[in-house]
Amino acid sequence: MSKLLVTGGAGFIGSNFVHHVVGNTDHEVIVLDKMTYAGNEASLAGLPADRVRLVVGDIADATLVDELFSQVDAVVHYAAESHNDNSLHDPRPFLDTNIIGTYTLLEAARKHDKRFHHISTDEVYGDLELDDPARFTENTPYNPSSPYSSTKAGSDLLVRAWVRSFGVRATISNCSNNYGPYQHVEKFIPRQITNVIRGIRPKLYGAGENVRDWIHADDHSSAVLTILERGVIGETYLIGADGEKNNKDVVELILETMGQPRDAYDHVTDRAGHDLRYAIDSTKLRTELGWMPAYSDFETGLANTIDWYRNNETWWAPTKDRVEAFYASKGQ
Ligand code: NAD
Ligand code: DAU
């Protein structure tokens, strides 16, 4: 049994990982989360108090981080400002958390010699053309487009430098777009599901041809635990489940699954610098560490996600109006 520190563990993917760890191991978990607009304690509901403890604080608080690192065996770092649209509006928190926050954690990992796993994104590689047969691999050059993805790229490079220069025992994973329960309603899929529930027409940026490579959050969590247990120090692993779909198809599937006409959506102002296509080749993770995704059927995973938002309005309703007001102010 070990004790893990999970940063950002009250967010969408971090909370999924905490549930996964509790259900599949005997590890104890300390969650360090600043509880920004994206953190929600309700996402940790039902977890045993003798195995999971929430500490509210900032990953950039070196004193707090130092104290917590002394109490754990390993650290899994999810905490981030995570939304591209917010980064176009106000980049500063992205620098503070994604760069300075990660630096603060790395310094503590170095001082305490703790195993460190850094959660990152496929967006560090930029985007692909729609008709390009290529997919991202661990050797694709970094070419981030947005303030969000550039700060994630910067954080990845810090981790690599701390491995090489200081011998920090770290691994990195870069995952594609996650979907599933507990995702904030600012993000594409939950925004459209909750719009339909509220009687608002879904909003598609531009022509809707942009492609994202969808993976269920449960599969992301199983991959991260696999890397934590069997990953080679200093290595990067791409996580993906062969789930490429364009946004138009996803909106139409949501509408159809929710009993609405497939064309009952609006085209709105496109995102500035909008990445065209992401696609992950996860061969290394599958062949070297033996990981496989459990969700092969996007339609079923999406239908279950829709049911979850229908049954858990108290979880998302408090944030919905503010999010829609923000988008409306941008013509989106
Ligand atoms: P999220 O926005 O839902 O959650 C982020 C969490 O981090 C929140 O609980 C927030 O309160 C916390 N946080 C923010 N700043 C903090 C700080 N300074 N100190 C402590 N806690 C802080 O994000 P998510 O979608 O769950 O993403 C989690 C991680 O996974 C991020 O690193 C993101 O880059 C990465 N990622 C996300 C996706 C995706 O599709 N959502 C895909 C690949 C990688
Ligand atoms: O690829 C991994 C990344 O996936 C993560 O690193 C990010 O943290 C995560 O937010 C996600 O980034 P995206 O920008 O791809 O996700 P988002 O949900 O914001 O948008 C998905 C696609 O849908 C994108 O092409 C923009 C589009 N979109 C989004 C919204 C909110 C719309 O068409 N309409 C919308 O209302």
Side-chain angles (χ1 to χ4, degrees):
M1 193 272 288
S2 344
K3 195 177 258 191
L4 304 182
L5 178 65
V6 178
T7 74
F12 165 44
I13 311 177
S15 63
N16 184 290
F17 180 73
V18 176
H19 282 276
H20 185 80
V21 165
V22 168
N24 293 280
T25 74
D26 58 2
H27 302 326
E28 289 178 20
V29 177
I30 299 175
V31 169
L32 171 58
D33 200 294
K34 192 177 171 183
M35 305 306 283
T36 68
Y37 77 94
N40 191 336
E41 204 170 337
S43 304
L44 296 168
L47 290 165
D50 60 343
R51 289 189 56 198
V52 179
R53 179 162 69 94
L54 171 64
V55 174
V56 177
D58 192 332
I59 57 166
D61 177 345
T63 307
L64 174 63
V65 163
D66 184 65
E67 167 62 23
L68 292 174
F69 269 64
S70 71
Q71 299 174 22
V72 298
D73 304 295
V75 179
V76 185
H77 172 34
Y78 286 90
E81 286 292 336
S82 68
H83 194 38
N84 277 297
D85 292 317
N86 293 343
S87 81
L88 295 164
H89 172 67
D90 180 15
R92 178 65 199 236
F94 290 75
L95 292 151
D96 292 338
T97 289
N98 301 357
I99 302 282
I100 301 299
T102 302
Y103 156 76
T104 307
L105 297 172
L106 284 168
E107 281 294 80
R110 172 188 177 192
K111 176 180 166 188
H112 294 274
D113 187 25
K114 292 292 158 74
R115 172 81 173 88
F116 188 83
H117 181 68
H118 177 62
I119 304 294
S120 193
T121 168
D122 57 359
E123 297 192 12
V124 300
Y125 301 114
D127 60 354
L128 300 159
E129 295 297 326
L130 293 179
D131 59 356
D132 188 341
R135 298 190 291 170
F136 298 137
T137 74
E138 288 77 6
N139 298 319
T140 303
Y142 274 39
N143 188 25
S145 313
S146 73
Y148 162 68
S149 54
S150 61
T151 57
K152 290 299 291 188
S155 67
D156 291 10
L157 298 181
L158 292 176
V159 176
R160 289 182 183 194
W162 261 243
V163 169
R164 176 158 176 170
S165 302
F166 305 123
V168 167
R169 294 180 292 126
T171 42
I172 299 173
S173 56
N174 298 78
C175 188
S176 60
N177 285 64
N178 286 220
Y179 73 98
Y182 298 103
Q183 187 169 29
H184 197 278
V185 294
E186 69 187 354
K187 302 297 197 307
F188 177 54
I189 287 179
R191 183 183 182 205
Q192 314 315 337
I193 294 171
T194 54
N195 276 355
V196 175
I197 293 171
R198 282 277 170 94
I200 304 167
R201 285 167 69 89
K203 310 292 182 212
L204 198 56
Y205 291 174
E209 288 173 350
N210 308 64
V211 171
R212 296 294 182 265
D213 189 352
W214 293 101
I215 180 173
H216 195 282
D218 289 358
D219 281 333
H220 189 176
S221 292
S222 70
V224 169
L225 191 59
T226 299
I227 297 166
L228 191 66
E229 289 171 345
R230 301 202 289 276
V232 176
I233 298 304
E235 291 293 314
T236 289
Y237 298 89
L238 263 54
I239 305 173
D242 302 329
E244 281 188 71
K245 297 209 171 335
N246 77 31
N247 295 338
K248 188 165 168 292
D249 288 345
V250 173
V251 162
E252 290 178 358
L253 184 59
I254 290 170
L255 283 161
E256 186 180 8
T257 309
M258 298 183 77
Q260 303 292 315
R262 283 172 68 90
D263 62 354
Y265 61 85
D266 296 328
H267 291 277
V268 295
T269 311
D270 207 352
R271 175 182 284 172
H274 196 171
D275 278 341
L276 202 48
R277 172 174 159 249
Y278 306 139
I280 289 268
D281 177 348
S282 58
T283 303
K284 176 177 174 181
L285 177 61
R286 294 177 192 227
T287 57
E288 295 186 11
L289 301 189
W291 173 83
M292 284 288 288
Y295 288 77
S296 52
D297 178 3
F298 180 73
E299 283 73 12
T300 304
L302 184 66
N304 292 340
T305 303
I306 289 170
D307 284 346
W308 188 86
Y309 281 91
R310 278 190 166 129
N311 295 328
N312 290 277
E313 193 156 348
T314 50
W315 183 88
W316 56 265
T319 55
K320 180 67 181 168
D321 290 346
R322 183 189 57 74
V323 166
E324 287 309 311
F326 170 77
Y327 281 127
S329 74
K330 309 277 169 219
Q332 295 179 321

